[in-house]
Amino acid sequence: MNKLAQILEHMGKRPGMYFGRAGDHRSLEVVEAFIMGYQFGVEGADNTLPFTHFTRWVAAHYRVIDGPKGGFTLIREHVGGEERLAFYEFFRLLPLYAKAMADLGPDGIHARYGQVMSELPEET
C-alpha cells in the first residue's frame, strides 16, 4: 500500500486526530480537501495513489453517468447528500479503488468506465 493510501486508511479510523475533535469532523468535504492538498504538495514526488482516475472509477462502480460531476460529488449523491454518510462511503470505497489502481491501472479503469457507460441507458 502506498503512502497516501496508508494515511487515508488511518484517517478513516481516527479522523479526530487529523481534523480535530470539535464539531463533526466526519465530512467528505474535508477528506477531499486533504487529498487535493496532498497531491498538489507532492506533485508526483512519491508513488502516491493518484485520484485523477477516481471520478471514472466511482461512476463505473455506481454505474452512473458522471457528466461534469467529480467522484466526491457522485459519492455524496449516492448517499443522499449526507456528509457524514459520504465520509463513511468514501472510506468503504477507498480500498476498492486502491486495488483497482494496483490491479488494472489507469488504462484498465478507463476501459471499465467505457464499458459501463456503453451499457447505461442514454439520458433524454
Side-chain angles (χ1 to χ4, degrees):
M1 183 180 289
N2 70 47
K3 189 174 182 175
L4 178 57
Q6 288 174 333
I7 292 169
L8 290 170
E9 182 181 337
H10 191 258
M11 187 183 292
K13 293 176 183 172
R14 303 199 56 181
M17 188 172 121
Y18 289 87
F19 306 121
R21 301 196 185 279
D24 187 6
H25 48 268
R26 288 175 178 86
S27 166
L28 185 59
E29 183 176 31
V30 295
V31 175
E32 180 180 10
F34 175 84
I35 291 169
M36 296 308 120
Y38 181 92
Q39 292 195 320
F40 179 76
V42 171
E43 289 190 29
D46 69 358
N47 190 16
T48 190
L49 176 64
F51 276 81
T52 51
H53 314 289
F54 187 64
T55 296
R56 287 189 167 199
W57 182 85
V58 171
H61 181 78
Y62 288 151
R63 303 187 63 78
V64 297
I65 296 171
D66 51 329
K69 300 172 187 171
F72 294 100
T73 299
L74 295 174
I75 292 171
R76 283 185 190 94
E77 287 180 354
H78 183 76
V79 299
E82 278 289 323
E83 275 297 311
R84 188 176 179 95
L85 293 177
F87 177 88
Y88 289 117
E89 179 67 0
F90 170 79
F91 285 107
R92 184 187 73 79
L93 295 176
L94 179 63
L96 302 174
Y97 174 66
K99 182 170 178 14
M101 283 299 293
D103 293 350
L104 305 174
D107 291 340
I109 287 176
H110 288 291
R112 175 75 177 128
Y113 171 84
Q115 176 188 354
V116 169
M117 291 303 117
S118 72
E119 295 169 358
L120 294 177
E122 291 186 33
E123 289 185 350
T124 57

